[in-house]
Amino acid sequence: MKFLKWGLAALALLVVVMVINTVTFTKKDVVLNAPLDDSALDKQALATRLSQAIQHKTISHMDPQDNDPQVFREFHGFLKNSFPKLHNTLSLEMVNDLSLLYFWQGSDASLKPMLIMSHQDVVPVDSETRDRWTHAPFAGEISDGIIWGRGAIDIKSGVLGSMEAVENLIGKGFQPKRSLYLAFGHDEEIGGKHGAKKIADLLRKRKVELEFVIDEGGSIVGGGIIPGIAGQVAMVGIAEKGYVSLKLTTKAVGGHSSMPPKHSALGVIAQALVDLESKPFPANLAYSKKMFNNIGPAMGGVNRAVFANMWITSPLVESILSGSKTTNATIRTTTAVTMAKGSSKDNILPSEASAVVNFRIMPGETVQSVTEYVKNVINNEQITIASVEGFGNNPSSVSVSDNENFELIKNSIYQVTQDKELIVTPYLVMGGTDAKHFSGLSDSIYRFAFNRFQPETLERMHGINEQIKVDDYVDVVRFFRELILGANQ
Ligand SMILES: [Zn+2]
């Protein structure tokens, strides 16, 4: 009886704690300052210059042989003509022939420089989808308050937008205390090894330390893109996953298939694949917790109670997040079996069989630790494991999200949106960005581009009918202006 009493008392206490946690799980109040004066921003001129930038076909093809360096050079000429004040004030260094590194010297040498990145290149337009574009992909048409074309979102708006902000500030007589770099690689869409990586290598060689770096990655999403959240959420990436593809190979005698062994070489590989799929990598909720701490208060009912009490509900959260492929990818290294090969004929046993498995690696793990894990799970000496050449990188460093630099990004977002209800949250980026090459140059490397997405517009990035509203593009410029000014206060 006594045990039951104590048990009930403990349960009651637990309920009280959980209720208190839920009730006090609220969004912090946001203090808004007046937005900057916009009178010097000429919307039409901004839109026209972005439109012209889109008309330069700075395409990165899968095979770099197909790329045309001349197109990039013409684009550089266009930038020079479009931003005369910037080119008179900042120094420009060409890195590995086609990447651009601008530097604006600040007056206070004790302040570490900030760095804004973007990339000049865009993905090609699939010939099969070409006729589904309502406006020609490289015409840069402006109609009904929208700028159309490849690169409007990804991410000529970042290159031009940050340059517009600098041009505007110079025009107002602003002189920075903190030095500023603008870094625009030319091959982000094919990995950034010849562009952003070379820029980062150069800065490392010069022992430059950066206060913070901002690149593309997250955006402002709404309309339920994040399930359970009706309002707007600004997602600021603080890390990105790594990547490796491992090839599993095994050899056998081969021969005719009329008298097969119990397991052919392909059967052995198949067993290894089944083992791998049934033993997923362990979950790491660190990034989800950061995110749910911010978005949880905006959720309703049970969800809010669950996320307010992650100290006790973590196992439940883990099983919910593991249940959907989208959220599963945010909490663990993922395992994707993508290719397999046996013999070349139906009645011949393979003398060699192989399969390729692609892994997206969680921060905290490495290409090497993933390879070890795979070896242990497969536990078969007959199978060799090798990484597929040409690809493979460790996860990025993880940036700090409770410091002044993150606050600056946050405040700049609020200054532009003037929306107190908007939520700003750190998160883990699933895809790759050029920012990964800057790991180690700063503890504050953020991935956020001031774009606004609804469910129906999300697919336009890299897809058909890429576009940006003129008003949204003006906000891109305003965001960079807030950021530069904020970093100089
Ligand atoms: Zn991009």
PDB file of all heavy atoms in Angstrom, residues 283 285 313-324 327-328 331-332:
ATOM      1  N   ALA A 283      20.711   7.143 -33.184  1.00  0.00           N
ATOM      2  CA  ALA A 283      20.146   8.488 -33.325  1.00  0.00           C
ATOM      3  C   ALA A 283      20.948   9.486 -32.501  1.00  0.00           C
ATOM      4  O   ALA A 283      21.532   9.140 -31.477  1.00  0.00           O
ATOM      5  CB  ALA A 283      18.690   8.485 -32.878  1.00  0.00           C
ATOM      6  N   LEU A 285      19.995  13.246 -31.138  1.00  0.00           N
ATOM      7  CA  LEU A 285      18.894  14.224 -31.091  1.00  0.00           C
ATOM      8  C   LEU A 285      19.366  15.651 -30.817  1.00  0.00           C
ATOM      9  O   LEU A 285      18.544  16.551 -30.651  1.00  0.00           O
ATOM     10  CB  LEU A 285      17.883  13.819 -30.010  1.00  0.00           C
ATOM     11  CG  LEU A 285      17.064  12.551 -30.270  1.00  0.00           C
ATOM     12  CD1 LEU A 285      16.075  12.325 -29.137  1.00  0.00           C
ATOM     13  CD2 LEU A 285      16.315  12.631 -31.588  1.00  0.00           C
ATOM     14  N   THR A 313      10.863  12.728 -22.533  1.00  0.00           N
ATOM     15  CA  THR A 313      10.168  12.189 -23.712  1.00  0.00           C
ATOM     16  C   THR A 313      11.112  11.851 -24.863  1.00  0.00           C
ATOM     17  O   THR A 313      10.652  11.447 -25.937  1.00  0.00           O
ATOM     18  CB  THR A 313       9.114  13.197 -24.238  1.00  0.00           C
ATOM     19  OG1 THR A 313       9.790  14.424 -24.561  1.00  0.00           O
ATOM     20  CG2 THR A 313       8.031  13.468 -23.221  1.00  0.00           C
ATOM     21  N   SER A 314      12.431  12.003 -24.652  1.00  0.00           N
ATOM     22  CA  SER A 314      13.391  11.762 -25.746  1.00  0.00           C
ATOM     23  C   SER A 314      13.182  10.435 -26.488  1.00  0.00           C
ATOM     24  O   SER A 314      13.195  10.410 -27.721  1.00  0.00           O
ATOM     25  CB  SER A 314      14.829  11.837 -25.239  1.00  0.00           C
ATOM     26  OG  SER A 314      15.196  13.173 -25.108  1.00  0.00           O
ATOM     27  N   PRO A 315      12.986   9.325 -25.767  1.00  0.00           N
ATOM     28  CA  PRO A 315      12.787   8.060 -26.495  1.00  0.00           C
ATOM     29  C   PRO A 315      11.558   8.097 -27.409  1.00  0.00           C
ATOM     30  O   PRO A 315      11.591   7.579 -28.527  1.00  0.00           O
ATOM     31  CB  PRO A 315      12.585   7.035 -25.370  1.00  0.00           C
ATOM     32  CG  PRO A 315      13.192   7.651 -24.156  1.00  0.00           C
ATOM     33  CD  PRO A 315      13.002   9.127 -24.309  1.00  0.00           C
ATOM     34  N   LEU A 316      10.505   8.759 -26.931  1.00  0.00           N
ATOM     35  CA  LEU A 316       9.289   8.892 -27.733  1.00  0.00           C
ATOM     36  C   LEU A 316       9.581   9.755 -28.961  1.00  0.00           C
ATOM     37  O   LEU A 316       9.217   9.405 -30.097  1.00  0.00           O
ATOM     38  CB  LEU A 316       8.184   9.537 -26.876  1.00  0.00           C
ATOM     39  CG  LEU A 316       6.866   9.823 -27.571  1.00  0.00           C
ATOM     40  CD1 LEU A 316       6.182   8.522 -27.969  1.00  0.00           C
ATOM     41  CD2 LEU A 316       5.936  10.650 -26.657  1.00  0.00           C
ATOM     42  N   VAL A 317      10.277  10.892 -28.729  1.00  0.00           N
ATOM     43  CA  VAL A 317      10.619  11.784 -29.839  1.00  0.00           C
ATOM     44  C   VAL A 317      11.475  11.035 -30.856  1.00  0.00           C
ATOM     45  O   VAL A 317      11.248  11.129 -32.067  1.00  0.00           O
ATOM     46  CB  VAL A 317      11.373  13.038 -29.308  1.00  0.00           C
ATOM     47  CG1 VAL A 317      11.904  13.878 -30.466  1.00  0.00           C
ATOM     48  CG2 VAL A 317      10.445  13.873 -28.430  1.00  0.00           C
ATOM     49  N   GLU A 318      12.421  10.268 -30.354  1.00  0.00           N
ATOM     50  CA  GLU A 318      13.293   9.513 -31.267  1.00  0.00           C
ATOM     51  C   GLU A 318      12.483   8.556 -32.139  1.00  0.00           C
ATOM     52  O   GLU A 318      12.695   8.457 -33.342  1.00  0.00           O
ATOM     53  CB  GLU A 318      14.357   8.732 -30.477  1.00  0.00           C
ATOM     54  CG  GLU A 318      15.301   7.985 -31.389  1.00  0.00           C
ATOM     55  CD  GLU A 318      16.323   7.133 -30.649  1.00  0.00           C
ATOM     56  OE1 GLU A 318      16.799   7.570 -29.578  1.00  0.00           O
ATOM     57  OE2 GLU A 318      16.632   6.038 -31.132  1.00  0.00           O
ATOM     58  N   SER A 319      11.530   7.871 -31.513  1.00  0.00           N
ATOM     59  CA  SER A 319      10.782   6.906 -32.319  1.00  0.00           C
ATOM     60  C   SER A 319       9.848   7.610 -33.305  1.00  0.00           C
ATOM     61  O   SER A 319       9.662   7.150 -34.429  1.00  0.00           O
ATOM     62  CB  SER A 319      10.063   5.889 -31.431  1.00  0.00           C
ATOM     63  OG  SER A 319       8.755   6.285 -31.179  1.00  0.00           O
ATOM     64  N   ILE A 320       9.314   8.780 -32.914  1.00  0.00           N
ATOM     65  CA  ILE A 320       8.467   9.524 -33.865  1.00  0.00           C
ATOM     66  C   ILE A 320       9.310  10.021 -35.043  1.00  0.00           C
ATOM     67  O   ILE A 320       8.947   9.859 -36.204  1.00  0.00           O
ATOM     68  CB  ILE A 320       7.767  10.722 -33.178  1.00  0.00           C
ATOM     69  CG1 ILE A 320       6.777  10.221 -32.115  1.00  0.00           C
ATOM     70  CG2 ILE A 320       7.046  11.602 -34.197  1.00  0.00           C
ATOM     71  CD1 ILE A 320       6.202  11.305 -31.224  1.00  0.00           C
ATOM     72  N   LEU A 321      10.482  10.612 -34.724  1.00  0.00           N
ATOM     73  CA  LEU A 321      11.316  11.168 -35.790  1.00  0.00           C
ATOM     74  C   LEU A 321      11.883  10.069 -36.689  1.00  0.00           C
ATOM     75  O   LEU A 321      12.075  10.271 -37.892  1.00  0.00           O
ATOM     76  CB  LEU A 321      12.451  12.016 -35.208  1.00  0.00           C
ATOM     77  CG  LEU A 321      12.014  13.260 -34.425  1.00  0.00           C
ATOM     78  CD1 LEU A 321      13.232  14.014 -33.895  1.00  0.00           C
ATOM     79  CD2 LEU A 321      11.161  14.199 -35.272  1.00  0.00           C
ATOM     80  N   SER A 322      12.142   8.909 -36.113  1.00  0.00           N
ATOM     81  CA  SER A 322      12.660   7.795 -36.927  1.00  0.00           C
ATOM     82  C   SER A 322      11.606   7.290 -37.899  1.00  0.00           C
ATOM     83  O   SER A 322      11.922   6.642 -38.899  1.00  0.00           O
ATOM     84  CB  SER A 322      13.087   6.633 -36.028  1.00  0.00           C
ATOM     85  OG  SER A 322      14.113   7.040 -35.164  1.00  0.00           O
ATOM     86  N   GLY A 323      10.334   7.566 -37.594  1.00  0.00           N
ATOM     87  CA  GLY A 323       9.224   6.994 -38.356  1.00  0.00           C
ATOM     88  C   GLY A 323       9.017   7.591 -39.732  1.00  0.00           C
ATOM     89  O   GLY A 323       8.374   6.981 -40.579  1.00  0.00           O
ATOM     90  N   SER A 324       9.533   8.808 -39.979  1.00  0.00           N
ATOM     91  CA  SER A 324       9.337   9.383 -41.313  1.00  0.00           C
ATOM     92  C   SER A 324      10.701   9.626 -41.940  1.00  0.00           C
ATOM     93  O   SER A 324      11.661   9.981 -41.248  1.00  0.00           O
ATOM     94  CB  SER A 324       8.539  10.693 -41.224  1.00  0.00           C
ATOM     95  OG  SER A 324       9.301  11.781 -41.672  1.00  0.00           O
ATOM     96  N   THR A 327      12.252  13.217 -41.339  1.00  0.00           N
ATOM     97  CA  THR A 327      12.779  13.530 -40.004  1.00  0.00           C
ATOM     98  C   THR A 327      13.865  12.543 -39.594  1.00  0.00           C
ATOM     99  O   THR A 327      14.787  12.911 -38.868  1.00  0.00           O
ATOM    100  CB  THR A 327      11.648  13.562 -38.960  1.00  0.00           C
ATOM    101  OG1 THR A 327      10.825  12.407 -39.129  1.00  0.00           O
ATOM    102  CG2 THR A 327      10.804  14.808 -39.119  1.00  0.00           C
ATOM    103  N   ASN A 328      13.778  11.322 -40.086  1.00  0.00           N
ATOM    104  CA  ASN A 328      14.816  10.333 -39.773  1.00  0.00           C
ATOM    105  C   ASN A 328      16.188  10.855 -40.216  1.00  0.00           C
ATOM    106  O   ASN A 328      17.190  10.685 -39.520  1.00  0.00           O
ATOM    107  CB  ASN A 328      14.498   9.007 -40.467  1.00  0.00           C
ATOM    108  CG  ASN A 328      15.503   7.927 -40.130  1.00  0.00           C
ATOM    109  OD1 ASN A 328      15.790   7.678 -38.961  1.00  0.00           O
ATOM    110  ND2 ASN A 328      16.069   7.309 -41.143  1.00  0.00           N
ATOM    111  N   ILE A 331      18.199  13.011 -37.744  1.00  0.00           N
ATOM    112  CA  ILE A 331      18.685  12.529 -36.447  1.00  0.00           C
ATOM    113  C   ILE A 331      19.750  11.439 -36.549  1.00  0.00           C
ATOM    114  O   ILE A 331      20.272  11.004 -35.535  1.00  0.00           O
ATOM    115  CB  ILE A 331      17.533  12.027 -35.539  1.00  0.00           C
ATOM    116  CG1 ILE A 331      16.772  10.870 -36.204  1.00  0.00           C
ATOM    117  CG2 ILE A 331      16.597  13.154 -35.167  1.00  0.00           C
ATOM    118  CD1 ILE A 331      15.845  10.130 -35.223  1.00  0.00           C
ATOM    119  N   ARG A 332      20.043  10.961 -37.742  1.00  0.00           N
ATOM    120  CA  ARG A 332      21.077   9.921 -37.813  1.00  0.00           C
ATOM    121  C   ARG A 332      21.769   9.910 -39.182  1.00  0.00           C
ATOM    122  O   ARG A 332      21.277  10.479 -40.149  1.00  0.00           O
ATOM    123  CB  ARG A 332      20.486   8.534 -37.529  1.00  0.00           C
ATOM    124  CG  ARG A 332      19.355   8.106 -38.467  1.00  0.00           C
ATOM    125  CD  ARG A 332      19.069   6.604 -38.326  1.00  0.00           C
ATOM    126  NE  ARG A 332      18.931   6.166 -36.953  1.00  0.00           N
ATOM    127  CZ  ARG A 332      17.797   6.148 -36.257  1.00  0.00           C
ATOM    128  NH1 ARG A 332      16.679   6.549 -36.844  1.00  0.00           N
ATOM    129  NH2 ARG A 332      17.778   5.718 -35.007  1.00  0.00           N
TER     130      ARG A 332
END
